[in-house]
Amino acid sequence: MNPPKAGERIHRGEMTRRDFLWLVSAAGSAAAVPALSGCAAHPVTGRQMLVGLSEEQELGLDRQRSPHQISRDFGATRDPGLNRYAAEVGSSLSSRSHRPAVPYSFRVVNANYINAYAFPGGTIAATRGILLEMQSEAEFAALMGHEIGHVNARHSAQSAGQGLLAQIAVAGVAIAAGASERSAAYAPLIQIAGTVGASALLASYSRENEREADGLGMEYMTRAGYSPDGMVGLMGVLVRQSRHKPGMLDTMFSSHPVSSERLASMQADAAGRYAGFRAGGLGRERYMDRTAGLRSLKPAIEEQQKGERLMARKSLGEAEAHFAAALQAAPDDYTGLCLMARCQVAQRRYERARVYAAQARQIYPGEPQAMQLSGVARMALKDYPAAYQEFDAYERALPGDANAAFLKGVSLEAMQNRPAAAREYQRYLRVVQSGSQARHAATRLRDWGYAK
Ligand SMILES: [Zn+2]
């Protein structure tokens, strides 16, 4: 196969849409694969289990990967009261868990889809989308309890023993490659839009893991004084969601049917072994009070959710109308601005994309998504020095995405700076060896005499 000679066409100012999409399609980042090893006692049951990760590796994996997922979710909310609330509820449970010494952290992220997740080192997040669906603090506690349950039962570490790590390492690449084979034109949009945001860590939990996390969540939340009916309420929210807004449910719940079965099992537990805790609080008013700021954004968030569903179906014009309505309701919403910028990129309106990305960047300084979007828009506008600056800022803010090196390489190549471009391509090839981007980088290095 001949790699596209996009770089040359860029020099001649003839970048086609296909070239551009190819250029910006992310190859994903590959995590290093730690060595698999040994057995450990299950921290909850004490039984021996096959563990692929030491605790140190769990922390390392968390530190390495969680910032990428959080950024894909548009960062932690800038509403400090809301993050504080998540931390209060979360730590009231984690301090009563089987592994209280894990360095847990809790936050609400700006994504609109309905999910929560835990990384193995204790980084836990819930999306603003799911917060809007819950009705009480006890439901929120149930959600945090479920996630803390995954960390306590070391589900990631167990899965790692079953080949998860290899999966994580290739996930980014596989997503990019698979997508580009299915639809060359749409692949980059998927990448940039991050709709394939599912982390392999989250997708890999088994049904048994989910049940165990439900059970542990129930245990921790009741220890913290909440009514077990919060868990029943949460399961109800998820069952309803899977019926009405299936597209908004992410892996954790869609890969393991939330199931009337999980709901029934939690109902039985609430009425059975945890019946004595039913006098515990639901904290409805407190929840409404503490999430009031977020709930004031509900109309805007619902418009964004509609827009995202339409984007996924490639109805870009219709999607844009919803994003516009969202921005009318909440002009300074970071997620709303990023989504609108993506929608403009997808429609090849790069100048407008640049403006929305710049606004997003101003509103949430330091959050990498807007930097990447801004870089993409500037690259399409052929302002390569500015594109380079943005990709460089993106990489500094979020190290570990090999794609940044590739995009910097392309920018430098377009600026005729071969030595610097070659350094970036070499850096990229150290992480990614296959795919059209890798072929492009390798071809350039050969043509320029940097490699044989
Ligand atoms: Zn789960």
Side-chain angles (χ1 to χ4, degrees), residues 7 9 57 98 102 106 110 119 121 125 129 134 136 153 157 208 217 252 301 314 353 394 415 424:
R9 274 184 235 133
Q57 286 171 324
H98 296 85
V102 169
F106 304 90
N110 284 320
F119 278 82
M134 295 184 293
S136 71
E208 191 41 55
M252 178 177 93
I301 292 171
K314 303 184 210 174
Y394 169 75
M415 289 153 70
E424 296 300 334

Side-chain angles (χ1 to χ4, degrees), residues 146-147 150 205 210 213 252:
H146 175 98
E147 297 307 328
H150 279 306
Y205 295 142
E210 292 302 330
M252 178 177 93

Side-chain angles (χ1 to χ4, degrees), residues 337-338 340-346 348-360 370 373-374 376-378 380-381:
L337 289 164
C338 286
M340 184 58 118
R342 277 179 194 166
C343 192
Q344 298 298 332
V345 166
R348 307 172 66 182
R349 291 204 289 255
Y350 302 119
E351 176 53 28
R352 290 167 78 167
R354 186 193 65 74
V355 172
Y356 286 115
Q359 246 179 294
L373 274 164
S374 172
V376 165
R378 287 168 187 280
L381 292 166

Side-chain angles (χ1 to χ4, degrees), residues 29-51:
S29 51
V33 182
L36 304 181
S37 62
C39 275
H42 189 297
V44 176
T45 63
R47 282 196 312 264
Q48 288 293 306
M49 61 177 189
L50 179 65
V51 165

